[in-house]
Amino acid sequence: MTLTRRGLMAASLATAPILSARAQSSWPERPVRFIVPFPAGSSPDLTGRVVTAHLATALGQPVVVENRAGAGGNIGTDAVAKATDGHTIGLSINGPLSTAPALFANLPYDPVRDLKAVSLLVRGPQFLVVNKDLPATDLASFVAHVKANPGKLAFGSVGPGSGGHLGMIDLMAKAGGLEMLHVPYRGFPDATLDLVAGRIQAMVVTTAAVMGQVRDGSIRALAVTSKDRFRLTPDVPTLAEQGMANAESYGWQIMVAPANTPPERIARLAAEAQKGLREPAGRQRLETAGFEVMATGPEEAAAFLAEETDRWGGMIRRLGIRMDA
């Protein structure tokens, strides 16, 4: 049988979807790099390892966690945004994804242009925690102590624009313009060690990052930022219960991929992340640490990110906060 040029074109077009599907189903052809923009032992690292353990089995290739800490998570997030090898994904948090564009004039990546949200993995309320020797047992006594020592006390965070940094800025503004020094860290473990040692006096930090220290009494939780009291610490009152309205906030983690990642691959990664987070062993590890497992799809993750960006970006602009990139 002789095929005409038109026939060849038709045959080619007919087989294109099949070839595309085969190419997609063959991914990944080699190990996948999963970037966590914080150190090993941090709460994002825990989430990343729960997710990647499932992904490695589901994808049939090793999924290697690479900890790229620094700049409040911006360095690792930028590494995902800049990846061109087709085998790099990762996760990120509040600061690099929702607040950095409003804070930094020369941010090397654009979360909307350069990244795709895959899944909102987890979220958790934040604690206002203090060194156990600080003479403060509730929000009112904390505010009074800071006001009596303007500029003499320090609070920590995992970097400018992080959820903890902005949570404390918001708290200080609502309390009537408290003055504290800000000390940024590369990750939660180092900041927590300095809080326990008394080198800093306070933090607003995701519950998962300090649950162990709150439980053993090495630091004191004065308030939780959720709408209702946190199920793991029912004795810790909310900020609202202590007279500070409209201060509800959460730390969260979203799985991200470079913007040029094919939609079918995004959908596949989201589906597998959801499965991994719902497996009993991994879910229990995350919930015990203080997280609420969200496990959303890409559309829900993108919508959530847009809402958080509008909220915190608006606060940053209202307060006139700017940082050097």
Side-chain angles (χ1 to χ4, degrees), residues 19 86 88 92 95 135-136 142 148 151 171 191 194 202 237 250 272 276 282 286 316 320 323:
L19 293 174
T88 295
S92 194
F142 172 75
L171 185 152
D194 273 6
Y250 296 86
E272 294 301 343
L286 293 167
I316 289 166
M323 303 288 175

Side-chain angles (χ1 to χ4, degrees), residues 132-318:
K132 63 182 178 60
D133 296 323
L134 199 75
T137 56
D138 56 18
L139 179 62
S141 56
F142 172 75
V143 170
H145 184 65
V146 176
K147 283 185 175 180
N149 297 275
K152 297 179 182 179
L153 305 175
F155 74 93
S157 82
V158 294
S162 64
H165 175 227
L166 293 180
M168 184 64 86
I169 292 289
D170 191 37
L171 185 152
M172 290 193 297
K174 286 182 166 66
L178 301 184
E179 296 180 33
M180 295 183 73
L181 301 173
H182 175 220
V183 182
Y185 291 84
R186 290 175 61 85
F188 298 100
D190 290 345
T192 304
L193 284 173
D194 273 6
L195 181 63
V196 171
R199 287 184 282 271
I200 57 174
Q201 287 71 49
M203 283 199 298
V204 170
V205 60
T206 181
T207 54
V210 294
M211 185 59 64
Q213 291 78 10
V214 169
R215 284 172 172 155
D216 68 22
S218 56
I219 60 177
R220 184 183 304 125
L222 303 184
V224 65
T225 65
S226 47
K227 179 180 179 181
D228 301 307
R229 293 197 182 196
F230 186 43
R231 58 184 173 76
L232 296 180
T233 54
D235 56 325
V236 179
T238 67
L239 287 171
E241 286 180 290
Q242 299 183 75
M244 186 169 287
N246 302 316
E248 183 180 342
S249 67
Y250 296 86
W252 44 261
Q253 299 169 22
I254 289 180
M255 185 173 170
V256 291
N260 62 356
T261 305
E264 318 89 75
R265 195 174 300 169
I266 294 290
R268 183 184 179 195
L269 287 168
E272 294 301 343
Q274 290 171 320
K275 290 177 185 177
L277 289 169
R278 289 168 182 159
E279 289 174 351
R283 188 183 190 101
Q284 184 176 10
R285 286 182 67 194
L286 293 167
E287 290 180 343
T288 300
F291 284 123
E292 177 185 0
V293 174
M294 305 301 289
T296 74
E299 294 79 12
E300 297 91 338
F304 175 84
L305 179 55
E307 290 175 2
E308 288 286 283
T309 301
D310 287 345
R311 176 189 176 186
W312 293 105
M315 189 197 86
I316 289 166
R317 287 186 287 272
R318 185 174 67 252

Side-chain angles (χ1 to χ4, degrees), residues 105-129:
N106 300 308
L107 194 69
Y109 64 92
D110 182 324
V112 175
R113 182 194 64 215
D114 300 331
L115 291 165
K116 282 186 179 178
V118 177
S119 174
L120 172 60
L121 302 174
V122 296
R123 76 171 189 177
Q126 301 189 101
F127 283 139
L128 167 61
V129 288

Side-chain angles (χ1 to χ4, degrees), residues 25 27-28 51-61 63 268-269 271-273 275-276 279:
S25 63
W27 184 89
V51 171
T52 55
H54 173 83
L55 286 179
T57 300
L59 300 179
Q61 288 282 358
V63 181
R268 183 184 179 195
L269 287 168
E272 294 301 343
K275 290 177 185 177
E279 289 174 351

